[in-house]
């Protein structure tokens, strides 16, 4: 058998013979690169082309082009809001995929961190710009939207599909989450009461100091809650967003990762970066959009901004309620509200502290009262462990009252932000 020759620069040189007639190093390299390309294309197809919500993705680049070609703040705001919506949903998907590899403990922490990544990124950009009221109102709006609109629509849709019976869920989980939400209300209420009763030891400083102390306490409480959930209590208290089902559904529910671990990490980084870019345009155009759309900043912050972060949660909560898996619905809606109130808000106070911004827990009387009444209404709705379409309708109608209230509400501090 002749030794194969390769022509290099006009000269023929002998190459090492390989038993199967191939050139092993070259072939292995080409196969590896081909496999990498195939994996990358498959990953792009799964992440970008499987969700119908991704049809909104082109609005992201369009908002940047509009920003540089026109001064129409209303359009830039709407386009960047629409552009971020599918990214928020895909961030949630990438987090879920990564959680499959990491196990429940790290998965729970990942969910706590990236579950509301969009809200956190928007809040940090607004904090950087000194728009403290926008941060407070957008996070408050996210809690209200999850507790009233998302949960209400889920209960309503599930109740219509299963109208001949009451749907049931774990009372224990609902009670623990309600307790944490009431603790968050307590954390927000005392700085507001201190401010409005003019009973501070040092005017202005005591309120901020109390907020920072309370935020640290709330973060400790939330960390304890996560540990409590993830340390073998899953038989009574199902973890946030966990898809625990009865034995007959276990095989059906067992999740398999659709993308690799490092692919999920890469997508998390790419999506977070893109959300960060669009968030900057979104935050910078809020005041201009308020003027051009003739809407109060409070209404934009409390009602419109949360739509961006909650679109994915809204869809999945309704889908699980229709499948009669209300524990997952509660994990998505109430679990997300708990995350924002006990983790994201205190985190923003501590981040503002590091940035030198006087972000505090004084959300003003109107906002604090709205949150307190909302938590009470939802706690009463959840106390018997059953859901039906009437409860869902009542929660949706409560949200409409809240939305109307913020539409006619003039923020006393809007000039400061």
């Amino acid at each position: 058998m002749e030794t194969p020759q390769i022509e290099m620069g006009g000269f023929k040189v002998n190459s090492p013979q390989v038993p199967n007639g191939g050139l092993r190093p070259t072939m292995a390299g080409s196969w590896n690169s081909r496999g990498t390309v195939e994996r990358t294309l498959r990953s792009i197809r799964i992440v970008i082309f499987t969700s119908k919500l991704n049809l909104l993705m082109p609005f992201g680049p369009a908002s940047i082009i509009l920003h540089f070609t026109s001064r129409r703040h209303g359009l830039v705001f709407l386009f960047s809001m629409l552009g971020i919506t599918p990214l928020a949903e895909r961030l949630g998907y990438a987090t879920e995929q990564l959680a499959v590899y990491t196990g429940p403990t790290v998965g729970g922490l990942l969910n706590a961190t990236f579950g509301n990544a969009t809200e956190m990124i928007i809040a940090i950009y607004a904090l950087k710009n000194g728009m403290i009221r926008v941060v407070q109102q957008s996070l408050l709006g996210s809690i209200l939207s999850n507790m009233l609109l998302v949960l209400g629509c889920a209960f309503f849709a599930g109740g219509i599909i299963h109208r001949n019976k009451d749907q049931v869920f774990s009372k224990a989980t609902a009670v623990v989450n309600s307790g944490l939400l009431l603790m968050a209300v307590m954390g927000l209420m005392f700085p507001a009461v201190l401010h409005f009763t003019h009973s501070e030891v040092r005017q202005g400083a005591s309120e901020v100091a109390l907020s920072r102390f309370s935020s640290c306490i709330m973060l400790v409480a939330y960390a304890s809650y996560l540990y409590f959930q993830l340390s073998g209590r899953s038989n009574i208290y199902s973890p946030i967003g966990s898809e625990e089902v009865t034995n007959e559904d276990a095989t059906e529910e067992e999740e398999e990762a659709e993308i690799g671990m490092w692919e999920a990490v890469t997508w998390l980084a790419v999506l977070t970066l893109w959300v960060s870019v669009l968030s900057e345009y979104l935050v910078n155009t809020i005041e201009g959009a308020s003027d051009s759309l003739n809407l109060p900043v409070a209404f934009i912050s409390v009602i419109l901004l949360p739509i961006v972060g909650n679109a994915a949660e809204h869809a999945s909560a309704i889908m699980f309620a229709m499948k009669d898996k209300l524990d997952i619905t509660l994990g998505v809606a109430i679990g997300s509200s708990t995350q924002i109130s006990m983790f994201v808000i205190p985190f923003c106070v501590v981040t503002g502290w590091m940035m030198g911004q006087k972000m505090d827990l004084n959300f003003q009387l109107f906002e604090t009262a709205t949150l307190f009444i909302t938590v009470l209404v939802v706690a009463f709705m959840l106390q018997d462990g059953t859901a039906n379409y009437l409860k869902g309708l009542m929660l949706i109608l409560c949200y409409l009252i809240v939305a109307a209230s913020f539409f006619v509400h003039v923020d006393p501090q809007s000039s400061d932000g």
Side-chain angles (χ1 to χ4, degrees), residues 24 29 31 55-56 68 72 98 128 135 180 195 209 238 316 323 346 359 363 371 384 407 410:
R24 189 174 289 131
W31 277 112
L55 291 169
L56 297 176
F68 287 108
R72 301 177 73 177
L98 192 55
K128 199 177 79 174
V135 177
L180 277 165
H195 177 81
S238 53
S316 59
K323 289 180 180 176
M359 165 82 182
F363 277 44
L371 180 63
D384 63 346
F407 189 74
V410 176

Side-chain angles (χ1 to χ4, degrees), residues 106 122 300 356:
V106 181
I122 291 172
I300 289 176

Side-chain angles (χ1 to χ4, degrees), residues 113-163:
T113 313
F114 283 100
N116 291 299
T118 312
E119 285 95 334
M120 285 169 76
I121 293 166
I122 291 172
I124 287 166
Y125 269 106
L127 258 182
K128 199 177 79 174
N129 290 2
M131 300 165 77
I132 290 167
R133 289 299 288 152
V134 169
V135 177
Q136 292 176 331
Q137 289 174 334
S138 65
L139 294 176
L140 173 91
S142 221
I143 298 170
L144 297 176
S145 165
N146 272 310
M147 291 178 74
L148 295 175
L149 185 63
V150 175
L151 194 64
C153 288
F155 279 7
F156 185 74
I160 293 292
I161 298 289
H162 306 278
R163 68 171 69 86

Side-chain angles (χ1 to χ4, degrees), residues 174-188:
V175 167
V176 170
N177 278 292
S178 300
L180 277 165
L181 286 164
L182 281 167
M183 183 183 173
V185 169
M186 191 173 88
L188 300 184

